[in-house]
Structures are given as C-alpha cells and as structure tokens.
Amino acid sequence: MASIKWKYPIESIHGALKKKVFGAAMRKAKNAKGEQPNFSVQYGERDLVNHPITSGENAARARFAAVRALVADRKDDSTKRAQDQAAFKAQSTYTTLSAYLWHVCGQEYDSAQD
C-alpha cells in the first residue's frame, strides 16, 4: 500500500504511487490566505492522443498570457502605480497588490473581448 510521511521536505515515500513519474513536495511558505497545506506534484508529459488540448484550454492559456502581460505592463507604468496603490488600499477583497492587479487586468481583458 502506498503512503507518504510528511516532514520537511519529505521524510519518506513508500509504495508504487504512480506508474511512471511522481514527485511530492510540501509548501515552504504560506499562500496569500495564510494556508500551508501539503500537496503532491505529478511530473510527466500529457498523452495528447487520448487527451488532446481543447479549444477551451487554448482560450484559457491565451487569456492567462494576455493578462500576465497586462499586469507586467501595469506594474512598470509609473503613472498608474500611485492610482493602483490607492485603489488597492481602498478595497478589502484582495490581500496582495498583485492579486488586485490580476483582477483588474482580467476584467479589462474580458471587457475588451466582448
């Protein structure tokens, strides 16, 4: 029977957890919500014959790349930096400035697509 004992980074892994490749890790730092759960990672290649990339996945990848570029440009723009910081401090939904900018740039991207 497969089992994992969690102790930073990993105390031990026993058994056949995955037929091909398996990796496991434990979070080193808390996320934005203060959570620090254990997680496992599967490394390997996707079987494109049985699981081809769908149009929805391509759209999600394109949206992510576009929003990432918008966030990077917005962080580099010194004219918008003060406005963004003031708007971030005025809200309480997002705990980090980056999360707030991802939300704002995501809305901009979505409205431009409509």
Side-chain angles (χ1 to χ4, degrees):
M1 178 176 209
S3 66
I4 297 177
K5 288 186 181 178
W6 293 103
K7 185 176 181 181
Y8 184 75
I10 296 172
E11 184 177 320
S12 62
I13 297 178
H14 302 283
L17 297 172
K18 204 68 172 159
K19 288 185 178 180
K20 290 189 177 183
V21 182
F22 177 81
M26 197 164 125
R27 288 187 190 268
K28 294 181 182 177
K30 294 180 181 177
N31 61 17
K33 296 181 180 178
E35 301 166 343
Q36 196 171 8
N38 299 332
F39 66 98
S40 63
V41 181
Q42 179 181 344
Y43 301 101
E45 296 179 6
R46 183 175 182 166
D47 179 12
L48 294 174
V49 174
N50 295 321
H51 303 286
I53 297 172
T54 64
S55 60
E57 287 174 312
N58 281 331
R61 290 176 183 184
R63 181 185 186 278
F64 181 86
V67 172
R68 182 190 56 78
L70 288 173
V71 169
D73 290 343
R74 194 161 180 140
K75 282 184 176 181
D76 291 340
D77 189 359
S78 60
T79 59
K80 291 187 179 180
R81 186 173 300 136
Q83 296 171 355
D84 289 337
Q85 288 174 346
F88 170 69
K89 289 179 183 177
Q91 60 85 38
S92 61
T93 305
Y94 300 97
T95 56
T96 63
L97 179 61
S98 291
Y100 173 73
L101 289 177
W102 273 86
H103 170 72
V104 170
C105 292
Q107 285 182 332
E108 288 177 7
Y109 177 82
D110 292 340
S111 65
Q113 298 300 310
D114 292 338

